[in-house]
Amino acid sequence: MNLDQCKKGHKVKILGIGNTDIRAQAIRFGICEGEIINCAEVVPAGPVVVRKNNQEIAIGRRLARQITVELIG
Amino acid sequence: MHCHESGVKINIPPDSRKIVLAGNPNVGKSVFFNALTGLYVDVSNYPGTTLEISHGRYGSDVIIDTPGVYGISSFNDEERIARDIILDADVVVNIVDAVHLERDLFLTQQIIDTGVPVVVALNMLDEAEKQGRRIDTDLLADLLGVPVIPTVAVKQMGMDELKEKICCARPGNIDPALHSKLHELHDRVANQGEALLILEGDPVVAERHGIAPGTEREEIYLSRRARVNDIVGHVVSEGSKGSGLGTMLGRMMIQPVTGIPLLALCLYLMYKFIGVFIAGDIVGFTEETLMQGKYEPFIRSVVSRYFSEDSVLGTILIGEFGVLTMTVTYILGLLLPLVFGFYLVLSAFEDSGYLPRIAALTDRALSGIGLNGRAVIPLILGFGCVTLATIVTRVLGSERERRIAVFLLALAIPCSAQLAVIAGLITSLNGSLIALYVMSVLTVLIVAGTLLNRFLPGESTDLLIDLPPLRLPRVENVLKKTITKSYHFVMEATPLFAGGALLIGILQVTGLLQVLQRLLAPVTVGWLGMPKESATIFIMGFVRRDFGAAGLYNLGLNDFQTVIGLVTITLFVPCIASTLIIFKERSKREGFIMWSGVLFLAFLIGGLLNQVYRATGSVYGVIIGLAAVLVITVLLSKFPVRKQKLTSEGINYGR
Ligand SMILES: Nc1nc2c(ncn2[C@@H]2O[C@H](COP(=O)(O)OP(=O)(O)OP(=O)(O)O)[C@@H](O)[C@H]2O)c(=O)[nH]1
Ligand SMILES: [Mg+2]
């Protein structure tokens, strides 16, 4: 599934990020493929807020759609 | 802000070292800069505060503050600026946020990989401690191979030790595999930092050396990430204390159900404070009692001892638009208290960490006008000063977004000084007219944005912003920032106001003003339905819009004419300072197109309102008309935009 389909409270593993530039930027943030992140908040039709360690990042809906994840809890 | 040049040329004496403060956004670099140099640059709690390079003396060396970046590369304008400064540094003081160590050390390692001497300031230890997070600084220093100094910048903790250790900065540990790759390039690219960026595929640096950019960016990034995660695993021991209340409030700010009422509440309180308390009570005192009651009679009596009030010089100095009467009263009595109030509120907002959350909340709405949530930051700052906000658009991810944001700022965002005058005029109107004014400007903003989004080529980028922790605004910082900005306002506005007043005064005594008023009558009287004297306010508006708006006071307009005047002058061309910045940030050509487009639209819309009012004969007729335009725009934008979204996969970054 894609990150935009996640619900609040989901814990997911990142499988792939569609766009090369975004992938590079995400590596700098520490969200690379294989990492486990928490879905902290989902704004209806808006951004998805993910949380990793102590950091929260808001990801636009269209971008979230390009991130494939696997639900792990 | 206005004193720093964005062009990266800094005059540095040949024997002094360039000490560059570098780090991720919002980690406290500017607090360090202020502490080390004794200067003041903006400090606030959102990523992307510093966009201009500031420098200050430190002993015989020079300290340079840079925009925060997550890595050295070229993903947007601020990164390009920071990249060159960091590559050119003699010493890098890398500020690292202890709470976000795993994120920040990526940049640290990348800086170390450039081979420059580094010293790390491990900042925000107070917040890390609050979360029960412990970091082994000695081990961190060993693993990185550079000195690490624990600090809490806002409490000046560790500052002295940092000063001592700047001279101990040294090149750190580099991954052996990467090191040998860099070594291979050494013959062709002497600077190790530039060699690194070429390996990482940076197109600009590669072109400078005439070498094809490398293709291994992702491999290098991934192995650096792995190395950093490993270091973090060794030095951090995690506690489990979360800051409950802050986190909860932060979440509420993002969710529309709670976030919109919260935002509305904040706006209401802001209105109560600025619109009622300052605009009413304070300005009542400063403008009427102080300036008009005490200062103006005084200056009139002094000047009229030498010149009669009806003489040419008398008119220019102390007449209706007198340089010594009107200018001084407007700036000190009316505008300064309001501008101060605005900056006070904005600074508190900036310090709290609310802005990035508003960005998340409004992301969806802004996508309709071709922007992502991040653009809300320059748009909100525009209510302080449009000039500054135009510079802040650098944080946006593509040229397309910058173009849209700069245009909307120039067209439909009134700055604090202008709002101040507007607030004074609008309170005398009844509710439906106030609604008409607000709706007109809002409609223009939405329709212009929607059309630009529809017709500008290219595609806008998506939101990707980190949400800093919510913090109580620091009184000291809020005051310092407010005072600095208010001071800049007075320094910038006074000569322009005085010049404008002088110009009007001269036009008046030479009779040219009457000629101009007659020439412009078809527009002012025929199209806008205002008295022909209103030409004066538009001439004043070319200098500054607030100056023009202030002129509305003396025209004896009826209520509807006041609204037309307000709408037109709100949309009118940006002030001279803003115009210059637009020319610089965009290009002369684009700036000119925007400027004349704004001028045309201001008169077009002001006039349309008047014509519709005449045709329908009621304010409600105009309001319904505006609502219809809004609905049609939103509906029309739905279809094509959705189609575009389905087919688009790529996200274009920059040029
Ligand atoms: N609690 C705490 N807050 C800090 C500390 N250092 C800085 N801050 C706060 O962190 C925020 C960011 O500070 P800035 O100096 O503007 O950060 P910057 O790195 O210059 O940010 P950009 O210019 O956006 O890259 C402000 O709200 C500061 O008050 C610290 O040691 N402890
Ligand atoms: Mg800064």
Side-chain angles (χ1 to χ4, degrees), chain B residues 138-306:
Chain B
D138 292 338
L139 184 58
L140 182 60
D142 276 350
L143 293 174
L144 292 173
V146 301
V148 175
I149 291 116
T151 63
V152 180
V154 287
K155 296 187 189 132
Q156 304 289 321
M157 274 166 58
M159 213 52 96
D160 290 334
E161 196 188 341
L162 177 69
K163 286 178 188 167
E164 275 165 32
K165 288 283 172 63
I166 287 181
C167 59
C168 310
R170 56 197 175 86
N173 303 334
I174 303 178
D175 176 59
L178 181 63
H179 197 260
S180 62
K181 276 188 205 152
L182 288 169
H183 203 72
E184 281 165 28
L185 261 180
H186 186 75
D187 293 341
R188 287 194 288 169
V189 187
N191 179 322
Q192 186 177 329
E194 304 208 338
L196 179 72
L197 281 183
I198 294 174
L199 280 183
E200 291 181 1
D202 190 289
V204 185
V205 179
E207 200 186 307
R208 270 182 218 158
H209 290 268
I211 297 177
T215 51
E216 294 172 78
R217 178 174 73 188
E218 196 156 329
E219 289 77 14
I220 299 177
Y221 273 25
L222 280 172
S223 80
R224 182 178 295 136
R225 172 47 63 200
R227 186 182 169 95
V228 165
N229 287 353
D230 187 49
I231 294 180
V232 172
H234 281 91
V235 300
V236 174
S237 55
E238 207 68 67
S240 55
K241 281 180 270 177
S243 48
L245 188 67
T247 313
M248 206 173 76
L249 189 61
R251 299 281 165 76
M252 284 172 66
M253 288 168 170
I254 298 175
Q255 275 297 344
V257 191
T258 42
I260 293 172
L262 257 173
L263 188 60
L265 179 72
C266 287
L267 290 177
Y268 176 74
L269 291 177
M270 199 168 148
Y271 166 75
K272 275 282 179 202
F273 177 65
I274 300 174
V276 178
F277 174 63
I278 296 197
D281 302 349
I282 303 276
V283 169
F285 174 73
T286 53
E287 190 185 19
E288 284 158 29
T289 318
L290 221 56
M291 301 308 288
Q292 286 167 354
K294 297 249 166 15
Y295 167 78
E296 286 195 16
F298 165 75
I299 197 77
R300 279 210 178 87
S301 75
V302 172
V303 174
S304 53
R305 251 181 257 160
Y306 305 96

Side-chain angles (χ1 to χ4, degrees), chain B residues 23-32 42-51 65-69 78 95 123-127 130 151-155 350-352 471 474 477:
Chain B
N24 279 218
N26 211 36
V27 296
K29 295 178 295 298
S30 297
V31 179
F32 277 92
D42 280 356
V43 168
S44 46
N45 188 15
Y46 64 85
T49 308
T50 303
L51 294 165
D65 190 20
T66 62
V69 289
E78 48 176 330
I95 323 287
N123 196 32
M124 307 260 185
L125 276 176
D126 55 335
E127 293 201 341
K130 245 187 257 162
T151 63
V152 180
V154 287
K155 296 187 189 132
E350 287 172 28
D351 239 25
S352 66
R471 300 195 180 105
R474 287 186 301 128
N477 183 46

Side-chain angles (χ1 to χ4, degrees), chain A residues 8 19-25 27-30 32-33 35 40-47 49 51-63 65-66, chain B residues 70-71 73 75 79 99-100 102-103 106 131 133 217-218 221-222 225 229 238 251 254-256 357 360 363-364 459-460 462-467 648-649 651 653:
Chain A
K8 179 176 176 166
N19 174 300
T20 0
D21 267 357
I22 297 290
R23 197 156 61 228
Q25 289 186 319
I27 297 174
R28 307 191 305 182
F29 271 122
C32 8
E33 296 166 0
E35 289 285 348
E41 198 68 64
V42 180
V43 182
V49 178
R51 185 179 177 89
K52 194 191 157 231
N53 302 321
N54 292 306
Q55 189 185 353
E56 292 190 330
I57 302 169
I59 301 178
R61 171 80 32 166
R62 199 168 53 152
L63 185 54
R65 206 173 296 147
Q66 298 177 45
Chain B
Y70 298 105
S73 42
F75 288 114
E79 289 198 9
V99 179
H100 297 151
E102 41 287 273
R103 179 197 72 187
F106 183 89
Q131 297 180 349
R133 189 172 231 228
R217 178 174 73 188
E218 196 156 329
Y221 273 25
L222 280 172
R225 172 47 63 200
N229 287 353
E238 207 68 67
R251 299 281 165 76
I254 298 175
Q255 275 297 344
R357 290 180 169 81
D363 183 53
R364 179 182 147 71
E459 199 156 343
S460 296
D462 291 319
L463 183 70
L464 186 63
I465 191 171
D466 58 348
L467 305 175
S648 72
E649 282 302 325
I651 292 163
Y653 257 81

Side-chain angles (χ1 to χ4, degrees), chain B residues 392-406:
Chain B
V392 176
T393 59
R394 281 188 203 158
V395 299
L396 304 183
S398 69
E399 285 300 299
R400 181 179 198 267
E401 286 154 88
R402 288 200 67 188
R403 197 164 283 161
I404 296 176
V406 169

